[in-house]
Amino acid sequence: MNDAGAKRGDVYAIGKKNPNLPFHPAVRAGDFIFISGQVSKDADGNMLVGSIEEETRGTIEGIRRILAQAGADLSDVVRVTTYLEDVRDFGRYNKIFAEYFKDATLARTTVEARAVIDCKIEMDATAYKPVTT
């Protein structure tokens, strides 16, 4: 039988888990860091509501904070999936995204979808940061 809660030495949680949700902000599995869907929040976890530009910045800054906990940064991101509440915000979101990932080598998917909470954008990401021993 496979126990979903079993511990593995090369897989561990990053960040403080919300007690109301059955997942962590991120998980490191070997050299990869998988960041769960993030919305625009400040460093204390308070929602930041604003324009698509403001919420995009807040979301990416949240991803940056999680990566830092794992000893990584935005330059280590290799994959991003973005969920926009309104596809008409794409150009404005894309401009802010490009500011943060100007010289990045990454794959990205952007789709229109409604989040389960009131926000304009949600993003998840995968980073590649080899573990140093």
Side-chain angles (χ1 to χ4, degrees):
M1 181 196 289
N2 190 1
D3 179 6
K7 300 287 184 197
R8 290 183 40 194
D10 59 342
V11 177
Y12 59 89
I14 299 166
K16 183 179 176 185
K17 181 181 173 203
N18 180 326
N20 300 316
L21 300 172
F23 58 89
H24 288 85
V27 172
R28 180 183 268 279
D31 293 338
F32 288 93
I33 302 162
F34 299 93
I35 300 173
S36 298
Q38 300 297 307
V39 296
S40 184
K41 292 184 179 180
D42 66 18
D44 295 322
N46 300 306
M47 291 288 296
L48 299 174
V49 178
S51 67
I52 187 62
E53 292 89 351
E54 292 166 329
E55 289 195 25
T56 300
R57 283 188 182 93
T59 302
I60 295 172
E61 288 298 332
I63 291 170
R64 183 195 311 258
R65 286 190 295 273
I66 293 168
L67 287 167
Q69 292 178 46
D73 59 40
L74 292 176
S75 68
D76 298 309
V77 172
V78 295
R79 178 97 173 92
V80 174
T81 302
T82 302
Y83 306 90
L84 292 176
E85 179 184 51
D86 187 340
V87 73
R88 293 173 294 185
D89 288 334
F90 179 84
R92 294 164 50 210
Y93 137 77
N94 196 54
K95 181 178 178 186
I96 303 304
F97 186 96
E99 290 174 11
Y100 281 90
F101 296 100
K102 182 179 179 185
D103 297 318
T105 302
L106 59 77
R108 185 183 85 179
T109 300
T110 304
V111 296
E112 182 178 39
R114 288 211 112 108
V116 296
I117 60 174
D118 188 22
C119 63
K120 292 177 177 60
I121 185 169
E122 181 175 351
M123 298 171 76
D124 64 42
T126 303
Y128 176 74
K129 180 73 173 181
V131 177
T132 56
T133 56

